[in-house]
Amino acid sequence: MKKKILVVLLLITLSLPLFAGDHFDISLGFGHYTNFKKANSLSLYYGSTIGLTDRLELVVGGVSEVTPNVFSDNELQLGLAFAIMGQRSTATKVAGSSINTLVGAGLIVSDVDGRVLPSGAYLNITPVTIGTPIHGRRERAFEIGCQYDWFTNKFNITFSFLKLDFYLRGSYKFVAKNPHA
């Protein structure tokens, strides 16, 4: 039953661009990630953002430990991010707000006793983003967040110094080729 509800919510979320203009931009990104539950570890963030509306985007990302044990601790993050300071995309050749702030929330999926299960939730704020989909690149800096782990009943603080997004769809390179944009 939970899988059916999750599939329906995912389909509704992904169908939002059909009603909101061509805000459906896609980026691939990577960057720094630190979870303070492990004091001596550093992790790598990698993932994708998919534009849903002019201010809302779907975030699908993975976090893998890099030090001290490479890829020993992995998690998947599924969430939504909202642009506070202005439009992240105008769905035209005109760029949205080049400097913005993102607020995000979502679920964490990880390995729990040999099974892949939703294991927590997160809230985060990225105070500085520079760039837009129309520019083809965006930098997200100084993201700070809070995670709640359902299985250990603990809160964790997260921090990301810098994440880089490279847009595969929605940048000026692709808009210029489309005469109807």
Side-chain angles (χ1 to χ4, degrees):
M1 182 65 176
K2 291 181 183 179
K3 289 181 183 178
K4 290 180 184 177
I5 292 171
L6 185 62
V7 168
V8 169
L9 288 175
L10 188 61
L11 288 174
I12 290 170
T13 303
L14 291 176
S15 67
L16 283 175
L18 298 174
F19 306 107
D22 191 15
H23 297 287
F24 195 69
D25 48 71
I26 300 171
S27 76
L28 294 178
F30 68 94
H32 164 265
Y33 192 87
T34 301
N35 189 335
F36 291 107
K37 71 179 176 183
K38 293 184 176 181
N40 297 331
S41 72
L42 179 65
S43 298
L44 172 70
Y45 169 86
Y46 47 92
S48 178
T49 62
I50 301 168
L52 300 176
T53 67
D54 63 337
R55 289 184 178 236
L56 189 66
E57 62 188 21
L58 176 69
V59 179
V60 179
V63 175
S64 295
E65 186 176 297
V66 177
T67 61
N69 301 318
V70 179
F71 294 106
S72 64
D73 189 16
N74 301 299
E75 67 182 33
L76 175 69
Q77 297 179 352
L78 302 168
L80 296 171
F82 183 78
I84 293 177
M85 295 173 60
Q87 292 179 308
R88 47 172 285 297
S89 172
T90 62
T92 65
K93 294 179 185 179
V94 178
S97 179
S98 294
I99 298 175
N100 218 326
T101 298
L102 295 175
V103 174
L107 291 175
I108 299 169
V109 178
S110 62
D111 183 15
V112 179
D113 298 329
R115 298 181 301 173
V116 177
L117 296 171
S119 60
Y122 72 88
L123 292 171
N124 62 27
I125 184 165
T126 308
V128 179
T129 66
I130 300 173
T132 65
I134 204 72
H135 294 129
R137 184 175 152 175
R138 176 176 68 181
E139 294 86 16
R140 296 182 276 165
F142 311 117
E143 177 183 288
I144 189 161
C146 181
Q147 293 181 342
Y148 177 70
D149 190 333
W150 297 326
F151 294 101
T152 62
N153 199 26
K154 292 184 180 177
F155 285 94
N156 299 311
I157 302 297
T158 62
F159 177 74
S160 177
F161 180 69
L162 184 65
K163 293 179 183 174
L164 302 173
D165 294 322
F166 299 96
Y167 285 89
L168 303 175
R169 185 181 189 284
S171 75
Y172 71 93
K173 298 172 189 172
F174 300 107
V175 173
K177 293 179 183 178
N178 183 358
H180 303 295

